[in-house]
Structures are given as C-alpha cells and as structure tokens.
Amino acid sequence: QDGLKQCLAEFRQQLTWVERLDVTLGPVTDPVSQSASTSDAVDPENDFQREMSFYRQAQAAVLEALPRLRKLQVPTRRPDDYFAEMAKSDQQMQKIRQKLKSKQEAMERSEKAKQLRAMRKYGKKVQVEILQKRQKEKKNMLNAVKKYQKGLSDKLDFLDEEQTSSQGNKKGSASQRTKKGPNAKRRYKNQKFGFGGKKKGSKWNTKESFNDISSFQSKVAHNKGPGKGGRGGKGGKKALNKRPGKRARQKMKNRAR
C-alpha cells in the first residue's frame, strides 16, 4: 500500500478538474427502495444486479459532473451543424456504392426474367385454352349440322348467334348476314330431289306392312304370268337360261370347223 501511494504521488499532476474530468462516486440512490445500494449487497454472480450497479454508478457520475461542466461553461451537447468525418474514404465508399448498384441491377434483371417466364407460361396456357375452346365449338357446330341434316333438329343455334351478331353490327354487309334455315342451293335440291329423310332402316317391315297383303299377286310371285311356263313347261325362264348338253356342244363345235 505504501508503494502504491508513492507511485501515485510521483505521476500525479496538479491540473484543474476540467482537464482531468475524474468523478468517483458510489451508485445513485434507487428510487424504488429510496436507498443507495452498496457493493456488499450486489451479488457478483448475478448478471442483472452487477450491470444495474454499473448503471447506477454511471448515473451518479453524470448527475455530479454535468452541473460542474455547465458552471465552467463547457458545452456538453453536440451542435446541430456538427460535421464528423467518415471513417472510410470517398474512394472506398464509391466502390461500395458501385458494388451495391451492380447487385441491385442483377436482382432487377433476375426479377424481370422471372416475370417474362411467368408471362410466357401464362400466354401459352391461354393459347391452349383458346384452341381447345375453338375445337369444342367446331365439334358442337358439326354435330348440330349433322342433326339438322338428319332431321333430328329444326334449328341451328350457331346460325342464330351469327344472325344476332350481324344485326348488332350496322356496318356489316348483307352478304355477311346469315339467315335461319337452308340456303337457296339446298332449297332447290330439296325441291328437285326431295328432302331425303331417314335412310337407315327404311326397307324394314313393320307390323302394318306385314299384315297388308292387298298388293300380293300369286301368279307373279310364283312365276306363272302370261308367256311364262310353269314347272317342267316350255318357254319358261329356266328353259331360256338352260345350258346345252355335252353332245349338243360337241356338234356345235364340229359345225364351226
């Protein structure tokens, strides 16, 4: 202890307090307990109590030093126009700005490429949906035309839609307006050759046609009409188509020689 006091007396300088700014105080009074916490009451193993003790001691030093500094007219607050030099040079900061700018541009390019890919994908999806819709409309139109040709339907919905749209468009020409029903060529062919109607199963017998025997002729049915011979008779259909015998054919060959 004597050696420490001797060393302290050797390097101690007789300077004013404003040059030294040393403040040695105990912790400030706790406003809750209204008592100053001593060092003996602080548990060194408790981090919270230890840090709180340092905080209270710093508070006490500030409360003691600020009035003395104001009394000596020493400014304790930074002025509004205070300018502090940067720790790094302008050249280094310029490099940092360029690096940040290049990173930002790379991120923007990546984001733009991602958006373009998403737009292409969405455009392709829309195009596929439009093509599928057109194919479906075409299929429905062909089915409607087939039903109309077979007589299963008496109207064409797509022609009605085209006629409605053409009436709404005042600038459309008369040739573009589609009327309901078949065109003039189809009407002429129907008038000349008939409408046609149902083809499949038209020759099938029905119960009424099976029971109707008014047009039945037995002579015609059994090949006994005028000029026709019966079974074994002459002049019949079988006699006309009968092939000559082998001896007759041989005689005919000899005559031809």
Side-chain angles (χ1 to χ4, degrees):
Q1 186 175 1
D2 295 338
L4 292 174
K5 289 181 179 181
Q6 183 180 356
C7 291
L8 180 60
E10 289 178 358
F11 67 77
R12 178 180 292 176
Q13 297 180 358
Q14 299 297 329
L15 300 175
T16 60
W17 179 82
V18 71
E19 297 292 339
R20 293 181 286 110
L21 294 179
D22 55 340
V23 178
T24 305
L25 291 173
V28 73
T29 305
D30 191 356
V32 178
S33 61
Q34 297 296 329
S35 62
S37 59
T38 60
S39 59
D40 297 337
V42 177
D43 185 7
E45 299 298 333
N46 192 336
D47 295 340
F48 179 76
Q49 290 184 4
R50 187 174 64 252
E51 295 296 331
M52 184 58 67
S53 176
F54 295 156
Y55 174 72
R56 296 292 183 188
Q57 191 172 3
Q59 274 186 330
V62 169
L63 294 175
E64 177 68 19
L66 278 178
R68 296 174 66 179
L69 291 173
R70 290 170 183 170
K71 187 176 181 180
L72 296 172
Q73 296 181 356
V74 177
T76 57
R77 298 188 64 181
R78 185 177 65 183
D80 297 335
D81 57 349
Y82 177 76
F83 178 76
E85 294 186 5
M86 298 180 64
K88 295 184 179 181
S89 61
D90 294 341
Q91 186 177 2
Q92 183 69 17
M93 294 303 297
Q94 190 68 22
K95 291 181 180 179
I96 294 174
R97 291 192 191 96
Q98 291 178 358
K99 189 70 173 178
L100 293 175
K101 187 177 180 181
S102 62
K103 286 185 178 180
Q104 185 177 3
E105 290 177 354
M107 290 177 64
E108 289 178 357
R109 288 195 299 268
S110 177
E111 189 68 23
K112 187 179 292 185
K114 189 183 295 184
Q115 291 179 359
L116 288 175
R117 287 195 297 269
M119 290 176 65
R120 289 196 192 100
K121 188 175 181 181
Y122 179 74
K124 188 175 181 180
K125 182 179 178 182
V126 172
Q127 187 177 6
V128 171
E129 290 179 355
I130 291 175
L131 292 176
Q132 290 179 353
K133 184 178 179 181
R134 289 179 180 175
Q135 291 177 359
K136 186 177 180 180
E137 290 178 354
K138 184 178 179 180
K139 184 177 180 181
N140 294 336
M141 182 182 69
L142 293 176
N143 292 335
V145 171
K146 288 181 181 179
K147 289 182 180 179
Y148 183 79
Q149 290 176 350
K150 292 180 180 180
L152 301 177
S153 177
D154 57 347
K155 62 179 180 178
L156 297 176
D157 297 335
F158 63 92
L159 295 179
D160 296 341
E161 294 177 359
E162 291 181 2
Q163 184 177 5
T164 306
S165 61
S166 62
Q167 290 179 357
N169 187 7
K170 296 182 180 180
K171 295 182 180 180
S173 59
S175 61
Q176 295 176 349
R177 296 171 185 168
T178 307
K179 295 183 179 179
K180 184 178 179 180
N183 52 17
K185 185 177 179 180
R186 173 51 55 191
R187 290 198 300 270
Y188 171 75
K189 286 188 176 183
N190 290 343
Q191 183 179 2
K192 184 177 180 180
F193 302 106
F195 178 72
K198 185 178 179 181
K199 302 293 190 303
K200 186 175 181 181
S202 59
K203 294 183 179 181
W204 290 357
N205 280 334
T206 60
K207 185 177 181 180
E208 291 78 9
S209 64
F210 179 77
N211 295 327
D212 185 14
I213 58 174
S214 59
S215 60
F216 178 74
Q217 298 180 5
S218 60
K219 292 184 179 181
V220 175
H222 297 291
N223 199 10
K224 293 182 179 181
K228 298 180 181 179
R231 181 178 297 178
K234 298 182 179 179
K237 188 175 181 181
K238 293 184 179 179
L240 294 176
N241 296 333
K242 186 176 180 181
R243 183 185 180 189
K246 183 176 180 181
R247 185 175 296 178
R249 291 197 305 270
Q250 189 68 29
K251 289 182 180 178
M252 291 173 63
K253 287 182 181 181
N254 294 334
R255 290 175 185 177
R257 292 177 183 175

